Amino acid sequence: SAVISQKPSRDICQRGTSLTIQCQVDSQVTMMFWYRQQPGQSLTLIATANQGSEATYESGFVIDKFPISRPNLTFSTLTVSNMSPEDSSIYLCSVDAGQNTEAFFGQGTRLTVV
Amino acid sequence: QKEVEQNSGPLSVPEGAIASLNCTYSDRGSQSFFWYRQYSGKSPELIMSIYSNGDKEDGRFTAQLNKASQYVSLLIRDSQPSDSATYLCAVNVGGGADGLTFGKGTHLIIQP
């Protein structure tokens, strides 16, 4: 299984600011995924990041709010822009190397917006 | 619209008994099915994956898939207090490119 490192592990941010979350994988992977888990809720897919192309966003998520970079096959970033308290969530990076393979998660970033 | 349904619980099971967790999904094109365990404050941990109809066993865990009924379940035998967690059912529709659709999770409590 892939080893996924996310940072920061947690942060408290002021509303109106932005936070960039980094995700590093110990092996090259085709697809990387970003999920959000709001308090007491399950995981919701934000976007899929494929190296060399723009990220694909799920309904309800837009690039201006959650810009994503995927500069190479082992790294991705998610930025939460112009934050509000409603953005307080755990953000999780996941990798999936291909069809019928399991998805593994980083340890997550717990974001609190005040 | 992809939907994955789970009973949120809590499901309370005596220690040593069998815990049965159920999940239904809406998209008949779904190909891959996963069970994750999530402890409070932690990220999801993969427990089981299943891709074809029938049963798949791994230690105390058995995953069961019935694509005709769009139903997947997880059985935990000889339940232990350490099994107390939220169990998330996840479905992948189009292979690796689609990401996963998660159910809301079932909160399992194993009573000593």
Side-chain angles (χ1 to χ4, degrees):
Chain A
S1 63
V3 176
I4 305 165
S5 302
Q6 251 184 268
K7 58 181 181 182
S9 59
R10 60 178 62 227
D11 207 342
I12 301 174
C13 300
Q14 297 291 323
R15 69 175 65 201
T17 63
S18 298
L19 176 72
T20 296
I21 303 167
Q22 299 180 4
C23 180
Q24 179 74 53
V25 189
D26 68 342
S27 58
Q28 294 185 339
V29 294
T30 306
M31 310 297 290
M32 296 180 75
F33 304 90
W34 288 97
Y35 291 84
R36 180 177 73 181
Q37 187 172 30
Q38 295 176 300
Q41 303 297 314
S42 190
L43 282 74
T44 301
L45 181 64
I46 296 172
T48 302
N50 194 2
Q51 193 267 336
S53 62
E54 286 196 4
T56 302
Y57 289 82
E58 297 297 303
S59 176
F61 298 96
V62 295
I63 187 172
D64 289 347
K65 177 67 176 177
F66 298 102
I68 289 172
S69 77
R70 182 78 200 276
N72 57 54
L73 291 173
T74 64
F75 187 78
S76 179
T77 67
L78 169 76
T79 299
V80 186
S81 303
N82 188 25
M83 288 183 285
S84 67
E86 290 72 32
D87 295 319
S88 297
S89 294
I90 299 173
Y91 292 85
L92 293 145
C93 168
S94 168
V95 302
D96 181 349
Q99 189 171 5
N100 279 356
T101 58
E102 297 85 351
F104 300 97
F105 288 87
Q107 75 271 33
T109 297
R110 184 180 295 272
L111 171 62
T112 302
V113 183
V114 298
Chain B
Q1 181 91 13
K2 306 174 221 178
E3 293 184 351
V4 178
E5 300 287 341
Q6 293 181 257
N7 188 323
S8 62
L11 174 64
S12 186
V13 173
E15 183 176 358
I18 296 175
S20 178
L21 305 164
N22 303 315
C23 172
T24 59
Y25 58 94
S26 63
D27 195 322
R28 285 196 172 274
S30 301
Q31 299 182 14
S32 310
F33 307 86
F34 306 95
W35 283 100
Y36 287 86
R37 178 175 64 197
Q38 187 174 29
Y39 294 113
S40 180
K42 302 294 186 182
S43 64
E45 173 192 9
L46 181 68
I47 297 296
M48 290 286 289
S49 59
I50 188 166
Y51 308 109
S52 55
N53 281 328
D55 295 359
K56 179 182 178 182
E57 185 174 320
D58 184 1
R60 296 187 297 114
F61 299 95
T62 298
Q64 300 174 317
L65 175 61
N66 184 327
K67 289 188 177 181
S69 301
Q70 296 174 242
Y71 176 91
V72 58
S73 66
L74 179 71
L75 301 178
I76 307 174
R77 290 181 298 281
D78 187 23
S79 297
Q80 303 297 312
S82 60
D83 295 326
S84 298
T86 296
Y87 288 80
L88 301 167
C89 175
V91 175
N92 182 300
V93 175
D98 280 2
L100 298 178
T101 300
F102 281 83
K104 294 186 182 300
T106 298
H107 183 44
L108 176 65
I109 299 171
I110 306 300
Q111 295 181 322

